[in-house]
């Protein structure tokens, strides 16, 4: 037997809630924005930031080194892939910083395990159950701002004790304003459903009419992220998932397309943030790198060291952070991979600590509790 509450949930209520996501807001009393863009699939750091000044680079990379003839020189050692024209401009404006020969503690080259370590902040797969971004909410200033994953579900990096939410555009037709008004009236007398409905409508107002935009479109995703982050009552922490970085074959064309998408995402995010860009830091990172040598199908296989990025108006950019190990055969990790000389956990902890002006040791111990004796990288933020 249906009562009034069951009817609302089972009919108009269910349809309307499908169009507007349930919102549960995490607390972060700060104007500083932080975005993590994960590159799922093991992005090729050497294919993104080429070590053109290394005498072994051209020979080791073969056809993959050719694109860098037109790439932007970052310094005497490194050049940026020419697909990333907007990012090159940000680098010139000192709004982009790159870290190279960087890796998490993981070394076994499995995507699932590597992503688990990257997102959990552990030193081994499945050893830590929550995510470093969720734990981050416990060390940055608390207040009334929101944390959100631009994803159909909440990724591991944002799961944990602190409440967060997710948002992705719906592929369903937009509900009419008349329907939404009627549903709001039906929920008015229900304390629980009325609160959930109000939160969902607030988020719908922030995002605007983007329900017909695919999240696979990188520029649209950057625009969506900006609409969620830029307003005074918007989110302050966000995570964006990107895929397609597993370039085992035909890497030259595929990686170029991937980098163009990432470049468009960052450009639209910067444009959409407006003045709030000056308070924004964007971290781009992947689970591990790829082999130095090209395989027989014009691609690269699972490797170790890669590159990471910090982008935004709050970044102390215009430089590459690297203790370069070299690409000569004797210098490679296990004779095949770029050797990591900088911990990704140290890089992330230093970025968060500087951005939010929190004691670095506390950030390191909270975000990466199993990493012992490693100091966060300093001087990454303008704060």
């Amino acid at each position: 037997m249906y009562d009034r509450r069951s009817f609302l949930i089972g009919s108009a209520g269910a349809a309307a809630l499908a169009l507007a996501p349930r919102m549960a807001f995490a607390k972060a009393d700060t104007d500083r924005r932080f975005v993590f863009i994960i590159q799922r699939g093991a992005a090729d750091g050497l294919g993104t930031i080429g070590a053109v000044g290394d005498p072994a680079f051209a020979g080791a990379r073969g056809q993959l080194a050719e694109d860098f003839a037109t790439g932007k020189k970052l310094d005497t050692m490194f050049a940026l892939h020419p697909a990333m024209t907007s990012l090159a401009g940000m680098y010139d404006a000192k709004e982009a910083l790159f870290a190279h020969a960087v890796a998490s503690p993981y070394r076994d080259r499995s995507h699932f395990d590597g992503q688990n370590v990257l997102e959990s902040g552990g030193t081994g797969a499945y050893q830590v159950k929550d995510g470093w971004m969720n734990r981050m909410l416990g060390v940055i200033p608390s207040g009334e701002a929101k944390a959100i994953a631009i994803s159909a579900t909440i990724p591991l990096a944002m799961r944990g004790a602190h409440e967060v939410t997710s948002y992705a555009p719906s592929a369903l037709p937009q509900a009419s304003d008349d329907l939404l008004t009627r549903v709001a009236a039906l929920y008015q007398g229900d304390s629980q459903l009325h609160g959930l409905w109000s939160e969902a409508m607030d988020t719908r107002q922030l995002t605007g009419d983007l329900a017909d935009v695919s999240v696979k479109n990188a520029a649209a995703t950057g625009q969506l992220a900006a609409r969620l982050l830029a307003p005074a009552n918007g989110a302050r922490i966000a995570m964006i998932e990107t895929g397609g970085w597993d370039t085992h074959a035909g890497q030259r064309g595929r990686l170029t397309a991937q980098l163009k998408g990432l470049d468009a995402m960052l450009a639209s995010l910067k444009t959409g943030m407006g003045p709030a860009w000056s308070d924004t830091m964007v971290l781009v990172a992947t689970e591990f790198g790829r082999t130095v040598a090209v395989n027989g199908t014009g691609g690269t296989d699972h490797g170790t060291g890669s590159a990471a990025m910090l982008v935004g108006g709050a970044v102390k950019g215009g430089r590459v952070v690297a203790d370069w190990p070299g690409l000569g055969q004797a210098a490679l990790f296990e004779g095949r991979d770029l050797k990591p000389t900088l911990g990704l956990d140290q890089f992330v902890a230093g970025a968060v600590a500087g951005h939010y002006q929190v004691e670095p040791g506390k950030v390191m111990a909270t975000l990466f509790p199993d990493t012992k004796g490693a100091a966060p990288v300093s001087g990454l933020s303008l704060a």
Side-chain angles (χ1 to χ4, degrees):
M1 179 177 180
Y2 284 105
D3 57 17
R4 173 178 173 274
R5 180 184 177 90
S6 299
F7 172 77
L8 291 177
I9 296 175
S11 55
L17 284 174
L19 295 174
R22 181 184 185 278
M23 302 299 293
F25 295 137
K27 308 301 183 183
D29 186 17
T30 176
D31 286 332
R32 293 250 151 178
R33 279 80 164 175
F34 185 91
V35 183
F36 174 33
I37 300 176
I38 187 171
Q39 297 170 292
R40 297 196 186 278
D44 185 8
L46 278 172
T48 306
I49 313 294
V52 295
D54 189 309
F57 178 72
R61 299 293 281 177
Q63 63 176 319
L64 300 183
E66 295 175 12
D67 284 331
F68 289 96
T70 58
K72 176 180 176 54
K73 290 294 294 291
L74 302 174
D75 56 25
T76 58
M77 175 62 75
F78 300 108
L80 180 65
H81 192 285
M84 309 200 77
T85 55
S86 296
L87 188 58
M90 296 180 205
Y91 185 86
D92 284 340
K94 300 191 184 305
E95 294 178 348
L97 176 152
F98 307 108
H100 220 320
V102 63
S104 80
Y106 180 74
R107 295 290 179 270
D108 291 333
R109 305 185 183 96
S110 162
H111 289 305
F112 296 112
D113 292 356
Q115 289 173 28
N116 181 274
V117 173
L118 171 62
E119 294 188 72
S120 69
T123 56
Y126 312 106
Q127 294 178 1
V128 179
K129 303 305 181 184
D130 56 355
W132 67 263
M133 289 189 77
N134 193 282
R135 295 194 297 276
M136 182 177 78
L137 295 167
V139 296
I140 65 176
S142 62
E144 294 300 327
K146 308 151 195 172
I148 192 165
I150 302 173
S151 171
T153 59
I154 297 174
L156 173 60
M158 297 192 80
R159 296 179 200 163
H162 300 277
E163 287 188 311
V164 300
T165 190
S166 65
Y167 180 84
S170 172
L172 297 173
Q174 281 281 61
S176 68
D177 289 339
D178 178 68
L179 173 61
L180 297 178
T181 300
R182 289 173 182 269
V183 173
L186 288 172
Y187 287 172
Q188 189 68 43
D190 188 303
S191 59
Q192 181 180 6
L193 291 178
H194 178 68
L196 295 175
W197 182 259
S198 297
E199 290 174 353
M201 290 301 96
D202 287 344
T203 299
R204 182 176 182 268
Q205 181 67 35
L206 287 177
T207 60
D209 187 11
L210 290 177
D212 61 343
V213 177
S214 170
V215 294
K216 294 180 181 178
N217 183 300
T221 302
Q223 180 187 26
L224 173 60
R227 291 195 182 195
L228 288 163
L229 289 159
N233 64 336
R236 291 295 175 268
I237 298 167
M239 180 173 173
I240 302 173
E241 298 182 288
T242 67
W245 298 96
D246 196 17
T247 51
H248 283 286
Q251 175 170 310
R252 192 173 181 187
R254 291 179 58 199
L255 184 62
T256 295
Q258 288 290 116
L259 294 175
K260 285 182 177 178
L262 178 59
D263 192 64
M265 181 183 293
L266 293 169
S268 61
L269 180 58
K270 176 179 178 176
T271 299
M273 291 300 294
W277 181 248
S278 64
D279 289 322
T280 299
M281 174 179 281
V282 183
L283 166 72
V284 182
T286 192
E287 66 262 33
F288 47 74
R290 309 195 71 83
T291 51
V292 173
V294 183
N295 63 27
T297 58
T300 53
D301 299 317
H302 298 177
T304 309
S306 190
M309 309 178 190
L310 289 178
V311 184
V315 174
K316 190 176 181 181
R319 58 203 171 104
V320 181
V321 176
D323 178 10
W324 192 243
L327 295 175
Q329 187 63 36
L332 301 184
F333 179 74
E334 297 185 349
R336 49 173 279 169
D337 301 341
L338 175 63
K339 181 180 179 180
T341 56
L342 174 63
L344 183 58
D345 44 10
Q346 297 169 265
F347 183 69
V348 174
V352 172
H355 191 49
Y356 289 104
Q357 291 293 281
V358 180
E359 199 277 313
K362 180 179 180 180
V363 174
M364 192 76 192
T366 302
L367 274 58
F368 306 102
D370 295 337
T371 300
K372 308 299 183 183
V377 179
S378 61
L380 303 177
S381 172
L382 290 176

